[in-house]
Amino acid sequence: MSKPLWVGLFRGINVGGNNKLPMKELAALLTAEGLEDVRTYIASGNILFRSALGIEALDKKIGDAVEGKFGFRPSLFLVTYDHLEKLLATNPYRDREAQGKGQHIFFIKGPVKLADLDGLAALKDNGEDFTLTDEAFFLYAPEGVGRSKLVEKMGKYLKADMTARNLNTVETLRDMAKEG
């Protein structure tokens, strides 16, 4: 029986000159830590790997290894391949015209501390829409997120431990996982 396939998403690495985490070195480190079939995708911190360990043990193992080698402990979001597929299937905007960078999934770890949905709704512009579930915040931003007031001020109205990936990235990770 093969080990479960995991997707790991680091938050806040390799951006703005902070928290440098070279992907090639990360893959070698995690392989040395006993994770199998480790692959990375783009420098923003996306990893795929196989492991029989549970989510808490993986979070600790990977966090300890990164901190020991690179001197910092970035926030890590772990989902199984099956769970990633479920999130993509339940994306309420999957049939909307704007795909790719027009849609984002914010992966949530732990409980949402504040969700002022009315405040967020007041910020919507240019066809934007959003849906909050217990495990993700789905954002439809057909004009992109660069100039979005909703994204800019989101932290005031939605407080949660989360990291975002655009639909292109999430679908690429799914496709990479399917390839083996």
Side-chain angles (χ1 to χ4, degrees):
M1 184 172 159
S2 70
K3 295 177 181 176
L5 182 59
W6 289 88
V7 177
L9 309 168
F10 286 97
R11 182 180 65 214
I13 64 156
N14 299 336
V15 292
N18 297 323
N19 295 338
K20 293 287 186 194
L21 191 60
M23 295 293 99
K24 190 173 183 176
E25 290 179 44
L26 175 64
L29 174 67
L30 297 182
T31 299
E33 288 292 321
L35 303 182
E36 298 174 11
D37 302 325
V38 178
R39 291 174 284 157
T40 63
Y41 174 66
I42 63 177
S44 60
N46 306 292
I47 56 173
L48 295 152
F49 61 91
R50 290 193 179 279
S51 177
L53 295 175
I55 195 166
E56 290 85 10
L58 283 170
D59 191 53
K60 180 173 178 10
K61 178 184 268 296
I62 295 169
D64 289 351
V66 168
E67 187 172 32
K69 169 111 176 141
F70 298 101
F72 66 96
R73 189 181 203 99
S75 190
L76 174 64
F77 296 76
L78 294 164
V79 294
T80 62
Y81 167 74
D82 291 339
H83 192 76
L84 186 74
E85 282 278 35
K86 177 186 164 211
L87 286 173
L88 283 167
T90 59
N91 173 4
Y93 311 113
R94 66 186 172 278
D95 296 327
R96 295 272 181 101
E97 183 177 330
Q99 297 284 318
K101 292 183 179 181
Q103 295 186 37
H104 286 71
I105 300 175
F106 291 72
F107 296 82
I108 298 173
K109 185 195 296 187
V112 173
K113 297 165 191 73
L114 169 72
D116 179 354
L117 301 183
D118 291 334
L120 278 174
L123 298 171
K124 292 193 303 186
D125 195 15
N126 299 319
E128 293 176 332
D129 206 353
F130 64 84
T131 300
L132 177 64
T133 70
D134 289 340
E135 32 192 34
F137 179 82
F138 296 92
L139 175 66
Y140 181 71
E143 302 291 318
V145 297
R147 294 190 177 127
S148 170
K149 294 292 182 203
L150 191 155
V151 173
E152 178 186 333
K153 298 180 181 203
M154 190 168 138
K156 179 179 176 183
Y157 300 97
L158 181 63
K159 296 199 184 299
D161 189 8
M162 58 188 174
T163 192
R165 298 298 188 272
N166 69 42
L167 188 60
N168 284 340
T169 297
V170 177
E171 288 178 338
T172 298
L173 290 168
R174 178 207 52 210
D175 294 346
M176 286 174 67
K178 278 184 188 176
E179 293 168 3

